[in-house]
Amino acid sequence: MTTFHSTRSSTDALTSKQAIRKGIADDGGLFVTDQLGETTVDISALAGKSYQQIAFDVLSVLLPDFGEDELKQCIAEAYGSQWSDERITPVKRLGDDYVMELFNGPTCAFKDVALQILPRFMARTTPADGDADEKIMIVTATSGDTGKAALAGFADAAGTGITVFYPQGRVSRVQELQMTTQTGSNVHVCAVNGNFDDAQSTVKEIFGDQELAERLAADDHVVLSSANSINVGRLVPQVVYYFSAYAQLLEQQVINVGDEVDFVVPTGNFGDVLAGYYAKMLGLPVRQLVVASDKNNVLFDFLTTGTYNRNRPFYETISPSMDILISSNLERMLYYMAEKDPRLITYLMNDLAQYGAYEVPPQLLAQIRQLFATGWADEDQVRQMIAECWRDNHYVIDPHTACGYFVMRQMPADPGTPRVLLSTASPYKFPRVVNEALGLKADGTDFECMDELAAATGTEVPAMLRGLESADVRFRDCVEVSDMAHYVEQCANRL
Ligand SMILES: *Cc1c(COP(=O)(O)O)cnc(C)c1O
């Protein structure tokens, strides 16, 4: 039996459905299963399979308490015609390397991969305590892209509501409009006076607030849950595209079954790259996972020194979705790397909460570094990479992908090991920065920048982004960090 418990204690034994419904453990830890890797995915049968078939192979191992029909329905609904490429996450050549596009979903964000299916998982879970009227309120803090993708996934989903907080003035104009124009009777969007870490920490506190939980259950039949990448149901769908990349490289005859591949991953909360680690544990031949950061290089420092220290300046950069000082999912990687010892994780996370820093033992660091390589790019380097990638490959990348491109170019290539750069956003989400980097006109509105970029590069503006110019803004609220819990309660009252 596959059961889930907190990274900080092994007493719980939840099914994957219960873990998905609950989101985060009561002690603040993240749900993990000790059975991960006991059953692997057959890579010899990957070539020629559709994304949906691969998704079924992978998800049935990771979420075994979902029925076969349930999983197939979830997959068919989540990875259908709302995607602009039938391969869902197409792998393309990029010079001597490869790029996997994760942004062809309905909101042009890589978060769509997970957030199109999470609401479908949730709809197939049932209340733990038998309260048939129970509804779920998703509460999420976003550094930009998660918010819209979550809103799109949960809009008008039966039995759920969603409240999204974003840091005021710290997401792009396009990202803000994507959220504030969201339709649906169960959605709430609110700006917060603070940065992403403030918002995310407060959301975690809201989840830990037992009095609030009791009031919501008694007054509104509402339980809170999370759509951030701390949710198991958000993490596991991301494992699929690593297998899909491998299948596509097999089909393109770049590799044979069993050959190793490197993945370069623009990283923030450590969800995307952690999914690559899960893929490896499920039997995918991954040689290296390269963690690419922006100027907020807390992960680079950790992976090179063994000390994680969030006491440092927070930079707002042109890659806002990677502007993160606490990478929540690192906790899961540490759990598995540290031989599944919840006491060590508790100790480290207490240090993080108390001192803002922790240090891992040297042998643990050495083990982590065997798999995880790392690098980071400053903003000038990001701009330069956008220009050089266009010059060298006639391929336009966004500022997040450009961090990864920089790190990939810095690393010595191993001729026998293909490298796949994960591209996490459409360049059209950051048209002003991209135009500046390419020497194109960048004054005008974001929409004028999009048109200019399309004309100059012969690429197409995604319709969902272009249409924002004329969409109605529905949400204009902005609250202090200290008022977020109260705001959630008001939204729950209206559910
Ligand atoms: C979320 C996001 C990332 C970071 O992914 P994590 O899973 O948080 O590491 C990188 N780039 C973009 C564009 C994103 O939206």
Side-chain angles (χ1 to χ4, degrees):
M1 238 301 255
T2 298
T3 56
F4 289 78
H5 61 79
S6 167
T7 40
R8 302 182 195 178
S9 117
S10 41
T11 46
D12 278 346
L14 276 64
T15 64
S16 70
K17 285 187 177 181
Q18 289 169 331
I20 287 170
R21 196 172 176 96
K22 207 161 153 55
I24 188 166
D26 290 333
D27 60 10
L30 310 191
F31 288 119
V32 284
T33 171
D34 291 352
Q35 283 83 35
L36 184 62
E38 280 177 11
T39 309
T40 57
V41 174
D42 179 12
I43 57 161
S44 69
L46 277 178
K49 283 194 179 174
S50 68
Y51 190 92
Q52 293 79 1
Q53 286 169 318
I54 296 170
F56 180 76
D57 291 351
V58 172
L59 294 176
S60 52
V61 171
L62 291 168
L63 307 174
D65 55 313
F66 279 77
E68 187 175 328
D69 287 342
E70 280 182 324
L71 267 189
K72 286 188 172 156
Q73 284 163 6
C74 290
I75 291 166
E77 288 168 21
Y79 305 113
S81 58
Q82 69 271 47
W83 292 77
S84 62
D85 191 302
E86 64 173 16
R87 291 166 295 174
I88 308 297
T89 58
V91 173
K92 300 179 176 173
R93 242 205 128 90
L94 192 69
D96 293 332
D97 301 299
Y98 297 85
V99 59
M100 173 157 59
E101 292 180 354
L102 302 178
F103 55 74
N104 290 301
T107 80
C108 306
F110 112 81
K111 309 286 195 287
D112 286 329
V113 179
L115 284 165
Q116 281 296 299
I117 200 163
L118 177 66
R120 274 110 189 171
F121 290 155
M122 251 193 223
R124 286 159 179 90
T125 66
T126 40
D129 58 3
D131 176 356
D133 294 331
E134 187 180 282
K135 286 165 285 187
I136 301 173
M137 172 63 87
I138 302 294
V139 182
T140 286
T142 182
S143 56
D145 278 4
T146 302
K148 175 61 182 184
L151 288 163
F154 281 99
D156 291 325
T160 55
I162 173 163
T163 305
V164 169
F165 293 106
Y166 67 94
Q168 168 80 356
R170 284 152 157 123
V171 301
S172 80
R173 178 72 185 138
V174 172
Q175 287 177 317
E176 182 170 35
L177 276 175
Q178 278 194 298
M179 292 188 274
T180 56
T181 60
Q182 176 65 46
T183 57
S185 60
N186 63 340
V187 302
H188 309 274
V189 178
C190 184
V192 175
N193 243 330
N195 64 34
F196 171 69
D197 278 321
D198 300 331
Q200 174 162 265
S201 309
T202 309
V203 165
K204 281 190 187 166
E205 281 167 30
I206 290 173
F207 286 131
D209 184 340
Q210 290 307 320
E211 282 174 29
L212 176 66
E214 282 163 26
R215 275 205 307 279
L216 291 177
D219 300 349
D220 308 305
H221 298 280
V222 167
V223 292
L224 300 181
S225 190
S226 162
N228 276 94
S229 57
I230 50 180
N231 192 308
V232 177
R234 168 84 194 273
L235 180 66
V236 295
Q238 298 184 234
V239 180
V240 175
Y241 51 71
Y242 285 90
F243 282 91
S244 170
Y246 201 82
Q248 292 179 64
L249 292 176
L250 285 171
E251 280 157 33
Q252 295 171 24
Q253 299 184 335
V254 177
I255 53 170
N256 294 309
V257 173
D259 290 350
E260 289 188 315
V261 177
D262 288 345
F263 291 94
V264 182
V265 190
T267 298
N269 223 359
F270 211 80
D272 196 357
V273 71
L274 181 76
Y277 179 42
Y278 277 36
K280 185 176 172 70
M281 285 194 266
L282 292 186
L284 194 73
V286 177
R287 191 187 68 133
Q288 248 186 358
L289 292 166
V290 183
V291 176
S293 300
D294 67 14
K295 196 176 171 191
N296 293 291
N297 55 4
V298 62
L299 283 169
F300 172 85
D301 286 351
F302 172 65
L303 292 168
T304 45
T305 67
T307 298
Y308 194 100
N309 188 350
R310 66 152 303 181
N311 303 313
R312 57 175 68 218
F314 176 82
Y315 299 109
E316 287 162 22
T317 74
I318 51 177
S319 44
S321 296
M322 295 163 65
D323 292 345
I324 286 176
L325 292 184
I326 297 188
S327 289
S328 305
N329 268 302
L330 191 63
E331 184 169 343
R332 284 193 169 106
M333 184 268 265
L334 292 172
Y335 177 79
Y336 286 110
M337 281 278 175
E339 281 153 15
K340 304 173 186 159
D341 178 2
R343 284 165 313 175
L344 176 66
I345 304 304
T346 305
Y347 173 80
L348 297 178
M349 293 305 135
N350 282 346
D351 276 1
L352 184 64
Q354 212 176 335
Y355 310 110
Y358 60 80
E359 189 179 353
V360 298
Q363 43 316 356
L364 177 55
L365 177 66
Q367 206 183 323
I368 292 169
R369 287 177 52 127
Q370 283 184 5
L371 178 61
F372 291 92
T374 184
W376 67 282
D378 69 26
E379 290 179 288
D380 286 339
Q381 289 162 333
V382 165
R383 291 193 186 89
Q384 196 184 334
M385 287 305 112
I386 294 171
E388 284 184 20
C389 188
W390 170 249
R391 185 196 67 199
D392 296 345
N393 311 301
H394 265 241
Y395 185 80
V396 191
I397 53 176
D398 90 291
H400 302 80
T401 309
C403 292
Y405 189 68
F406 178 80
V407 174
M408 184 164 79
R409 294 254 308 240
Q410 294 282 303
M411 290 188 354
D414 169 19
T417 311
R419 306 192 293 189
V420 181
L421 169 64
L422 273 54
S423 177
T424 50
S426 161
Y428 283 102
K429 275 214 159 145
F430 306 93
R432 191 178 308 277
V433 176
V434 172
N435 283 11
E436 280 165 7
L438 295 179
L440 303 173
K441 205 164 165 294
D443 34 11
T445 65
D446 276 8
F447 299 100
E448 285 164 346
C449 291
M450 288 182 197
D451 292 340
E452 170 79 10
L453 180 59
T457 60
T459 54
E460 230 177 284
V461 190
M464 100 76 44
L465 296 180
R466 194 64 192 83
L468 288 172
E469 189 172 21
S470 52
D472 290 335
V473 172
R474 295 182 64 208
F475 301 98
R476 298 174 199 280
D477 295 337
C478 180
V479 298
E480 297 303 319
V481 172
S482 56
D483 282 334
M484 287 169 59
H486 181 61
Y487 189 87
V488 169
E489 201 164 0
Q490 286 178 325
C491 295
N493 287 149
R494 281 183 266 146
L495 200 64

